Amino acid sequence: MKVIIAEKPSVARDIAAIVGATSKKDGYIEGNGYAVTWAFGHLVGLAMPEAYGFTGFQRENLPILPAEFTLVPRQVREGKEYKADPGALRQLKVIKDLFARTDEIIEATDAGREGELIFRYIYSYVGCRTPFRRLWISSLTDRAIREGLQTLRPGSDYDNLYLSARARSQADWIVGISASQALSISAGSGAWSLGRVQTPTLAMICSRYLENKDFTPQTYFRLKVHTAKDATAFAVLSADKYDNRSVADQTASTVTTAAELTVTSVVRKEVLQEPPLLYDLTALQKDANKRHGFSADKTLTIAQGLYESKFISYPRTGSRYISADVMEEIPHLVATLRAHPKFGRYIDARPDTRLNTRPVNDAKVTDHHALIITEDPARGLSADQQLIYDMIAGRMLEAFGESCTKENTAVTLDAGGVHFVAKGSIMLHPGWREVFGASQEETADEDITVLPDLTEGEKLAVRDTEVQEKQTKPKPLHSEATLLSAMESAGKEVENEEEREAKKEAGIGTPATRAAIIETLFSREYIVREKKALVPTNKGLTVYLAVRDKKIADVAMTGAWEAALAKIGTGDMDAGTFHRSIEVYAAQITSELLDMAFERQDNRQSCPCPKCHNGNVVIYNKVAKCQNEVCGLTVWRTIAKKELSDTQITSLLMNGKTGVIKGFISSKTGKPFEAAVAFDADYKTVFSFEDKKGKPGSKRKSR
C-alpha cells in the first residue's frame, strides 16, 4: 500500500478520486492500493520555552537558544496554558499508523516552502523512516495530478527547501520569543510582541504615519491659462511655481496684458508600452486592494479557494513568468475565455493572434510559475471569487497581448515672457489595454490634457488667467497595496517593473506570508484600518517609538535574512551558518531591548481621559496617549513647531482648553502667532483664537 499525504482534506479528496481510492475511513480514504490522508495545515510546530525549562520572563534566560528544538502537536490555549489540540492528536495518530503500514509515502502537501515544512515536521514527529517521493504540481486539475503522479521525484530533491523552511521557522521562534520577552521585561508590565518580520513591517507603517502627521505643507502658486484652437478648449500651466502670491498676481497681470500665447515648441514622440507581466501573489494582492479594497489576507483566501477548486494555478508564487513548456498551453487557455462575457469580444477582435513572449523566461521561474487560469471552466463563483478570477484571467490576456502604442506631445508656449507648458497623449493602438476596455492609459499626472494639433509659431488667444493656490502634500499613509510594495522591496521605493523584480529576493516576508504578517499586526492591536489607510494604534506607536532605532526594526537587515533563506533553498548557503548568525542577532537585539529606558506609565504624569472617561492619559516625551486602546485619544506634544509643556497638556486634558500660548509658527506664512489649544467635538486638537476684547473667536485645526 502507498500512502499519500495532502495538506488539506479537500485536496486529499481530489487526489483520492484520481488514484481510485473511494472507501472513506476515519482520517483517510482507502482503495486501489492507496491510502490518502491529510494534515490540517501545521499539525506540528516548535515547542514553547517551557518545554526547554525556561519558565516565565527571566532576564538571565535571554536570548533563549535551544540546543535542539522539540516538535509538539499543534497547541491551543486553555486559560493561561497551552495544550495539545485534540483534533491534531487524533489525525497525527492516523498518519503515524498509516506510515507504519506502508512501504512508500508520497508527499502531496502544497508545493512550496511551508508545505514542505508541514510534511517534514509531521514525518519527523511521528518518527518515520520510510522513503518518500514528492508530488510537485502547480495546479490541482485532474490532468495536473495525473501527470504529477507519473513524474514523482525523490524526497531528497527537496532537502534544501526543507532546510530553508526549518531555518525560517527556528529563526522566527528565537527572534520572536527572545525579543518579545526582552521588551516585556524592559516595560515592566504587560506582554509585548515583537517579531523578525512583524516589527520591521510595523516600523514602515509607523514611520510613514509620523512622517505624514509631522509634514508641514508649503504653499505655492501656479498660473493656469485657458485658451482654445478651433473647437478644442484646453488649459496650459506656468512652467514656474511661485512662493509669493503677489509675484504670481503680478505675473498673471503680465500674461493678461499680453493677451496671446505663442507656441514656441511642439515635440511629439511615439511610445511603445509593453504589456504588464503576469501576476504573482503580491502583485495580485496589491491590485485587488487598489481596485476592490480587498485585504491581502482576503485576496489570498479567495485565490487559495480558486486553486483548490481547480480554476487557477498555485497562488503562493513569487514569480511573474512562465516556462517555455507552460507557454505551449497558453493558446488553449486563451481560447477557453472566448465564452467569457468580459473577454470574448477582445479575443475575437484581435487582428494579430500571435502571443507576446515577454512573460516566458525559464530562468525566472523557481518553485512555481506565475498565476494563470486552468483549462477547467470557472463556474459557480461567488461575486468576490469572480472578481479575483477575472483579474487573473484578464492579466493573462494582457501579458500575452500586443504592445500599446501612443503619441505623447509636449508643448511649450510664451505669453509676455512667461513660459507655459502643456502635455497631451493620444492612444494610437490600444493593444493589451483593450482587454478591460480601456481607451486611455490610466495616469496620475493631472497635467495631461487633450490637445489640438498645434504648430510652432502659432498664436492663441488668452481667454482667462487664474492663479492657483496649491500646497505640497506629504506621502500618503500606507495602504495594504503600498505596504506590500514596501515589503517586497525592503522599504525602497521602486517604480520600474523590472527593478522591482530584481529586488524581490531582498524583500521582507514572502508572497505566502506577507498577508499573515499584516493580519498579525491587526490581531496584536498594533494597527487599524481607516478606509484603505493603515494607521498605528497607541499600542503600536508605543512599540515603534521604543524600538525604532534598534536592530529588531531594521528593514534592510530583515531583507538580508530573506535573501539568505532563499539561498539555503537553492543550496547556495549553509543552514547552520544562517542559524548561528540568527543566534548572534538574537543576543544583540535582546541586549539592546533590555538596556533601553522604556517609557512606563508608573513614572509618567497622567490624568483621567476626558474622551472615554475609563482610561488614563499618560504624558510621554512626544505624545500623551489614553491607555484604553479602544479610545485612541492622542495629543502630540509638538504643535505648529511649538512644544507644549506637561502643565499645558494637563490643562488641555483637565479643562478641554489651555491658556493662550505664544510661539506657534504658521505653516502657510512662516510667521509666529499665539492661540489657545482646545479639543473639538471629536477630541482633535484645534487652535482657539480670542478677539481683542478677550472673547472667544475663531477656531481652526492644529497641526
Side-chain angles (χ1 to χ4, degrees):
M1 180 185 71
K2 294 181 180 180
V3 173
I4 302 175
I5 178 169
E7 191 164 318
K8 294 181 179 179
S10 60
V11 178
R13 286 192 293 269
D14 289 338
I15 295 173
I18 296 299
V19 300
T22 57
S23 180
K24 295 182 180 179
K25 305 290 184 180
D26 184 14
Y28 66 102
I29 307 169
E30 192 173 33
N32 198 30
Y34 287 91
V36 185
T37 188
W38 52 83
F40 296 104
H42 286 274
L43 281 181
V44 175
L46 300 178
M48 297 301 284
E50 290 76 12
Y52 310 101
F54 301 109
T55 57
F57 290 8
Q58 305 295 327
R59 179 183 292 262
E60 58 271 18
N61 290 340
L62 299 179
I64 299 175
L65 306 172
E68 292 288 338
F69 278 91
T70 300
L71 294 174
V72 295
R74 184 167 59 206
Q75 305 286 289
V76 291
R77 190 164 187 169
E78 286 188 9
K80 293 184 178 180
E81 295 183 355
Y82 283 92
K83 296 184 177 180
D85 179 353
L89 287 174
R90 282 194 302 272
Q91 191 61 17
L92 283 168
K93 184 178 185 307
V94 170
I95 294 169
K96 183 175 182 179
D97 290 345
L98 288 173
F99 281 5
R101 291 162 46 197
T102 187
D103 53 5
E104 184 183 16
I105 297 168
I106 297 173
E107 176 194 356
T109 48
D110 281 359
R113 191 168 78 181
E114 288 309 296
E116 193 67 26
L117 188 70
I118 287 169
F119 170 74
R120 297 290 187 114
Y121 272 2
I122 292 171
Y123 186 83
S124 179
Y125 175 75
V126 301
C128 187
R129 296 292 181 270
T130 305
F132 63 90
R133 290 191 289 167
R134 187 56 155 115
L135 174 70
W136 191 273
I137 52 179
S138 288
S139 75
L140 289 174
T141 62
D142 292 355
R143 188 180 74 172
I145 294 171
R146 286 194 184 94
E147 290 177 353
L149 289 169
Q150 291 170 3
T151 55
L152 295 171
R153 297 174 64 178
S156 57
D157 285 3
Y158 298 90
D159 284 351
N160 286 330
L161 183 65
Y162 164 60
L163 291 174
S164 173
R166 188 181 67 179
R168 192 280 308 156
S169 175
Q170 294 178 354
D172 284 351
W173 192 100
I174 291 170
V175 173
I177 287 177
S178 298
S180 297
Q181 289 197 12
L183 182 61
S184 299
I185 291 168
S186 184
S189 62
W192 300 84
S193 172
L194 298 177
R196 183 182 63 87
V197 182
Q198 167 193 319
T199 303
T201 304
L202 175 65
M204 290 192 289
I205 296 170
C206 290
S207 62
R208 175 64 64 87
Y209 172 79
L210 293 176
E211 182 183 350
N212 181 283
K213 188 212 163 291
D214 294 341
F215 181 80
T216 301
Q218 302 296 318
T219 301
Y220 68 93
F221 304 90
R222 200 172 185 184
L223 305 188
K224 186 175 186 178
V225 172
H226 297 271
T227 185
K229 179 182 178 182
D230 300 329
T232 305
F234 63 101
V236 298
L237 296 170
S238 59
D240 294 328
K241 298 174 182 177
Y242 307 95
D243 296 330
N244 188 292
R245 175 174 277 279
S246 62
V247 174
D249 288 340
Q250 185 177 355
T251 307
S253 179
T254 300
V255 173
T256 302
T257 301
E260 67 178 14
L261 291 155
T262 302
V263 178
T264 53
S265 74
V266 179
V267 178
R268 295 183 179 88
K269 185 178 181 181
E270 191 170 299
V271 177
L272 198 67
Q273 190 176 50
E274 291 283 1
L277 293 170
L278 293 161
Y279 280 131
D280 64 2
L281 177 59
T282 302
L284 177 69
Q285 288 170 318
K286 288 192 291 187
D287 274 6
N289 182 252
K290 291 175 186 174
R291 297 182 191 179
H292 308 303
F294 288 1
S295 70
D297 186 60
K298 180 175 181 177
T299 299
L300 174 56
T301 300
I302 294 171
Q304 184 70 19
L306 290 171
Y307 166 68
E308 292 174 11
S309 297
K310 311 183 182 185
F311 298 143
I312 66 169
S313 62
Y314 186 67
R316 288 176 164 85
T317 176
S319 177
R320 301 187 68 180
Y321 295 86
I322 61 170
S323 54
D325 60 329
V326 176
M327 181 63 189
E328 296 173 5
E329 303 174 23
I330 298 300
H332 170 65
L333 297 179
V334 170
T336 65
L337 293 171
R338 285 187 184 278
H340 193 291
K342 188 173 287 185
F343 305 126
R345 191 173 176 182
Y346 163 79
I347 295 169
D348 290 334
R350 275 194 64 180
D352 186 351
T353 57
R354 289 176 299 177
L355 298 179
N356 192 316
T357 58
R358 181 170 176 250
V360 182
N361 189 326
D362 289 58
K364 294 187 177 181
V365 178
T366 51
D367 294 342
H368 293 280
H369 58 67
L371 271 163
I372 56 175
I373 64 170
T374 68
E375 68 267 24
D376 287 16
R379 300 191 181 100
L381 303 183
S382 68
D384 287 348
Q385 286 178 320
Q386 192 70 57
L387 287 173
I388 296 299
Y389 179 83
D390 287 354
M391 286 180 66
I392 295 168
R395 174 52 62 90
M396 188 184 80
L397 294 176
E398 288 178 331
F400 294 105
E402 299 173 282
S403 299
C404 166
T405 309
K406 58 182 181 174
E407 182 183 77
N408 290 343
T409 304
V411 181
T412 59
L413 309 94
D414 183 278
V418 182
H419 301 296
F420 290 86
V421 293
K423 292 186 286 186
S425 184
I426 299 173
M427 193 81 72
L428 301 178
H429 177 59
W432 62 270
R433 288 193 170 277
E434 281 281 84
V435 171
F436 285 100
S439 59
Q440 291 290 333
E441 179 182 2
E442 296 176 11
T443 177
D445 192 342
E446 59 186 18
D447 295 347
I448 290 181
T449 187
V450 177
L451 295 175
D453 186 19
L454 298 172
T455 56
E456 191 173 324
E458 194 168 358
K459 307 287 186 182
L460 304 169
V462 173
R463 288 187 170 183
D464 181 50
T465 305
E466 61 177 293
V467 176
Q468 294 183 318
E469 181 176 336
K470 295 180 174 289
Q471 285 192 327
T472 55
K473 295 180 180 179
K475 291 179 181 177
L477 299 175
H478 271 306
S479 64
E480 287 202 39
T482 61
L483 180 63
L484 287 166
S485 290
M487 293 174 77
E488 192 175 40
S489 57
K492 298 179 178 66
E493 293 188 15
V494 182
E495 296 297 328
N496 181 274
E497 195 170 55
E498 279 74 18
E499 286 185 44
R500 281 202 303 271
E501 287 296 303
K503 290 185 180 295
K504 273 186 177 182
E505 287 190 3
I508 66 173
T510 66
T513 61
R514 287 175 189 136
I517 292 162
I518 297 170
E519 290 303 312
T520 296
L521 295 177
F522 284 115
S523 67
R524 303 284 189 221
E525 298 181 343
Y526 284 170
I527 62 173
V528 294
R529 287 187 185 91
E530 290 185 3
K531 296 182 179 178
K532 285 189 177 183
L534 300 179
V535 178
T537 61
N538 288 349
K539 186 178 180 181
L541 279 172
T542 299
V543 171
Y544 170 68
L545 293 173
V547 305
R548 62 179 171 180
D549 58 343
K550 307 293 188 293
K551 290 183 183 296
I552 187 68
D554 189 336
V555 177
M557 182 172 288
T558 305
W561 293 141
E562 293 294 348
L565 289 169
K567 288 181 179 179
I568 294 171
T570 58
D572 294 324
M573 184 173 181
D574 176 61
T577 301
F578 175 83
H579 186 84
R580 287 188 291 276
S581 67
I582 282 290
E583 290 186 334
V584 171
Y585 172 69
Q588 292 172 335
I589 60 173
T590 50
S591 176
E592 284 184 334
L593 293 168
L594 290 169
D595 291 343
M596 74 181 186
F598 191 88
E599 292 186 339
R600 302 182 188 86
Q601 180 173 336
D602 54 14
N603 62 6
R604 286 279 164 190
Q605 188 173 341
S606 65
C607 57
C609 178
K611 181 180 179 183
C612 69
H613 306 293
N614 293 322
N616 239 27
V617 179
V618 180
I619 302 175
Y620 297 102
N621 288 340
K622 296 185 178 181
V623 67
K625 302 192 295 288
C626 179
Q627 298 304 287
N628 178 2
E629 294 301 330
V630 177
C631 172
L633 176 66
T634 302
V635 178
W636 293 92
R637 187 180 288 275
T638 302
I639 300 175
K641 298 186 178 181
K642 171 69 177 180
E643 188 171 291
L644 304 186
S645 67
D646 284 3
T647 302
Q648 289 166 336
I649 293 175
T650 301
S651 176
L652 172 64
L653 294 167
M654 298 296 289
N655 307 317
K657 183 179 179 181
T658 69
V660 174
I661 301 171
K662 296 182 179 181
F664 293 116
I665 303 297
S666 170
S667 61
K668 289 189 176 182
T669 65
K671 295 180 179 179
F673 68 93
E674 60 184 51
V677 177
F679 286 128
D680 64 11
D682 297 319
Y683 284 89
K684 304 293 185 184
T685 54
V686 294
F687 291 123
S688 177
F689 299 90
E690 296 181 350
D691 63 19
K692 292 181 180 178
K693 296 180 180 180
K695 296 180 181 180
S698 62
K699 290 185 178 181
R700 74 165 186 255
K701 184 179 179 181
S702 68
R703 288 193 66 89

